[in-house]
Amino acid sequence: MIDFQHFTLENGLKVYVHEDHSVPTAAMNILYNVGSRDENPEKTGFAHLFEHLMFGGSKNIPEYDKPLQKVGGENNAFTSPDITNYYLTLPAQNLETAFWLESDRMMSLNFNPEVLEVQRKVVIEEFKQRYLNQPYGDVWLKLRPLAYQVHPYQWATIGKDISHIEDATMEDVKSFFYKYYLPNNAIMVLAGNVKTDDIKKLSEKWFAPIPAGEQYVRNLPKEPKQTEARFMEIQADVPANMIYKVFKMSDKQSPQYLPTDLLSDILGRSKSSRLHQKLVQESQLFAAANAYITGSMDEGLFCVSGKVKEGVSIADAENAMSEVIAEIKQERVSEEELQKVKNQAESTLILGEIEVLSRAMNLAYCALLGDANLINEESAKIQAITKEELFKVANEVLSPESCTTLHYKMN
């Protein structure tokens, strides 16, 4: 059980506090309710660009990292299609430094043209290194717009096209900041060796003066139901043929979500999974095969992928993969197989609660979903899932008509 208190400042900033006096440190996590799905289709990659820009200094603090390092702190951030998340840890007695740093950049980011140019180059280089200059790096640049025809999940967090970042103006950057980087569009969690009363005082002192902005109301286009299979083939200088199959699945808050997640575990989480056992161990058609979900807040993807063994035809490999997928739709999984993946999921939850920072992140995310106490309910929900539920979602999700297939072939 993760205990927490929460309150909301007048400017709309939601604050959650998780006290754990068994540790000497404190963690601060600030989740901004903006991801790549919120971007203008003609100006993508901005959420990720801001992950970098936010460390370029603010009005009263020329460099973010140095003051934090002086008090023994560490920090980082990440962007997803759904959120942008900033986090830090430091000795608990130096907690006010965190409030000073984070409030200053929420209040007044330093819109320095030199910082924009430096971070623009960093992002462009990252795009080239991670997505263009390594084997299979552009898989999701190809798969997303094939699987999503309307919803903004059709582009990756790095952006639809690197020219959008190359052409970004200072006005574009300011407009993005003042629309999304607002106290009323953020959730802040303090966890560790902290006291709720102290957090209230520090929050009032450092964050309450930041004015609220216009409330962002998300109104994204809904992806139409996919009724026909889609296919794409790519040839490139890669070491092996790869097969990717993605199926539309429910959003994060649907009752179907957790059963679908467990279904992906049964198919491809570990070496005891069906894909590995049947495609890698038994038939030896694949060098590796797995399944996973994207975990999206809107309608996500159930992904199955495999690296085809040398000398095996991609057609034979795909037929074998499709047979494993079809089999799980034809018969209910055993209680033993279901309990195994439940135990794996439970272990993941427990490991995710060991670090104070992880608890802070999870609290913020659950709060964004609408109820921070979901963090304490997930385990029971997982244990309550039945094999009948898995059978039902298997037949609803793993439909050939809603499948998008990509063959990534060697030259």
Side-chain angles (χ1 to χ4, degrees):
M1 174 67 75
I2 295 175
D3 295 317
F4 61 89
Q5 303 292 324
H6 67 96
F7 56 92
T8 303
L9 301 182
E10 285 190 15
N11 59 13
L13 178 65
K14 299 178 181 69
V15 184
Y16 290 79
V17 185
H18 165 57
E19 296 187 25
D20 180 356
H21 302 292
S22 69
V23 297
T25 56
M28 173 183 275
N29 190 91
I30 298 186
L31 183 157
Y32 287 93
N33 184 18
V34 56
S36 55
R37 64 174 172 165
D38 299 296
E39 295 164 344
N40 180 329
E42 304 305 317
K43 295 180 180 179
T44 63
F46 275 66
H48 175 250
L49 176 63
F50 260 89
E51 178 194 323
H52 292 263
L53 289 176
M54 288 286 278
F55 293 99
S58 50
K59 184 176 181 181
N60 301 301
I61 306 168
E63 290 186 63
Y64 180 94
D65 288 332
K66 279 189 177 179
L68 185 61
Q69 289 167 355
K70 281 183 178 179
V71 297
E74 297 179 330
N75 70 85
N76 215 325
F78 65 84
T79 315
S80 80
D82 298 316
I83 65 170
T84 311
N85 198 74
Y86 299 85
Y87 55 94
L88 62 85
T89 56
L90 75 177
Q93 64 266 31
N94 298 327
L95 182 59
E96 190 159 8
T97 300
F99 277 83
W100 170 60
L101 287 166
E102 290 292 346
S103 64
D104 201 62
R105 65 178 179 177
M106 184 186 286
M107 168 81 85
S108 50
L109 195 65
N110 179 13
F111 294 106
N112 185 328
E114 291 180 12
V115 172
L116 175 58
E117 288 313 308
V118 167
Q119 297 305 329
R120 188 202 309 270
K121 288 176 182 175
V122 169
V123 171
I124 291 170
E125 186 60 26
E126 181 182 342
F127 190 97
K128 291 175 180 176
Q129 290 297 323
R130 287 183 57 191
Y131 295 85
L132 302 182
N133 296 338
Q134 65 170 299
Y136 318 108
D138 61 348
V139 161
W140 288 102
L141 298 183
K142 308 291 188 185
L143 253 180
R144 281 185 173 275
L146 190 61
Y148 291 101
Q149 308 281 286
V150 173
H151 193 282
Y153 283 162
Q154 65 187 255
W155 58 85
T157 54
I158 197 75
K160 187 188 295 187
D161 192 296
I162 199 58
S163 64
H164 293 179
I165 296 301
E166 291 173 333
D167 299 339
T169 67
M170 185 59 77
E171 284 310 305
D172 291 334
V173 168
K174 286 183 177 179
S175 174
F176 193 88
F177 180 82
Y178 290 118
K179 182 175 182 179
Y180 299 113
Y181 279 74
L182 304 165
N184 47 308
N185 200 46
I187 295 168
M188 182 168 71
V189 178
L190 286 305
N193 194 12
V194 299
K195 294 180 179 177
T196 303
D197 288 345
D198 294 340
I199 299 304
K200 285 181 178 178
K201 291 171 186 173
L202 289 169
S203 298
E204 288 290 344
K205 176 181 177 181
W206 291 104
F207 283 94
I210 304 173
E214 185 176 341
Q215 186 66 47
Y216 170 54
V217 179
R218 187 173 280 111
N219 185 24
L220 304 180
K222 184 169 174 58
E223 185 70 16
K225 183 178 175 61
Q226 185 173 333
T227 56
E228 289 185 343
R230 297 170 189 160
F231 176 77
M232 176 184 285
E233 181 175 292
I234 302 171
Q235 281 195 292
D237 185 15
V238 292
N241 291 333
M242 290 282 296
I243 299 172
Y244 298 86
K245 285 184 170 293
V246 298
F247 302 82
K248 297 293 189 341
M249 62 167 284
S250 67
D251 61 83
K252 189 90 175 186
Q253 291 170 285
S254 166
Q256 278 195 341
Y257 179 84
L258 288 176
T260 309
D261 193 10
L262 284 190
L263 183 69
S264 74
D265 290 346
I266 287 172
L267 268 178
R269 172 168 174 154
S270 65
K271 288 187 176 180
S272 63
S273 67
R274 293 192 179 195
L275 287 168
H276 186 87
Q277 286 293 312
K278 298 189 176 185
L279 302 181
V280 180
Q281 296 281 86
E282 294 174 17
S283 67
Q284 298 189 11
L285 297 173
F286 286 79
N290 56 46
Y292 54 93
I293 63 172
T294 54
S296 308
M297 291 187 73
D298 291 335
E299 186 180 61
L301 296 176
F302 185 110
C303 313
V304 179
S305 64
K307 181 182 288 186
V308 183
K309 264 198 170 178
E310 189 176 355
V312 175
S313 83
I314 202 164
D316 288 345
E318 183 177 5
N319 286 338
M321 178 182 278
S322 296
E323 283 177 14
V324 178
I325 294 170
E327 188 178 85
I328 205 165
K329 296 167 59 181
Q330 292 162 3
E331 58 183 51
R332 287 163 176 74
V333 302
S334 68
E335 286 293 347
E336 183 182 5
E337 195 174 18
L338 177 56
Q339 195 57 52
K340 180 192 72 176
V341 292
K342 284 183 179 182
N343 293 343
Q344 289 173 337
E346 188 86 22
S347 296
T348 301
L349 288 177
I350 292 169
L351 288 172
E353 292 179 2
I354 291 173
E355 297 292 332
V356 164
L357 178 58
S358 297
R359 282 175 254 159
M361 287 184 183
N362 293 337
L363 259 177
Y365 191 70
C366 288
L368 180 65
L369 290 174
D371 180 6
N373 199 49
L374 289 170
I375 197 170
N376 294 315
E377 297 172 353
E378 187 169 354
S379 177
K381 288 181 178 179
I382 289 170
Q383 292 300 336
I385 292 169
T386 65
K387 56 186 184 180
E388 284 72 24
E389 286 179 274
L390 261 65
F391 183 72
K392 184 179 178 184
V393 297
N395 281 276
E396 290 179 359
V397 173
L398 302 176
S399 159
E401 294 78 27
S402 71
C403 182
T404 298
T405 302
L406 172 66
H407 287 181
Y408 208 122
K409 299 174 73 173
M410 297 185 290
N411 276 329

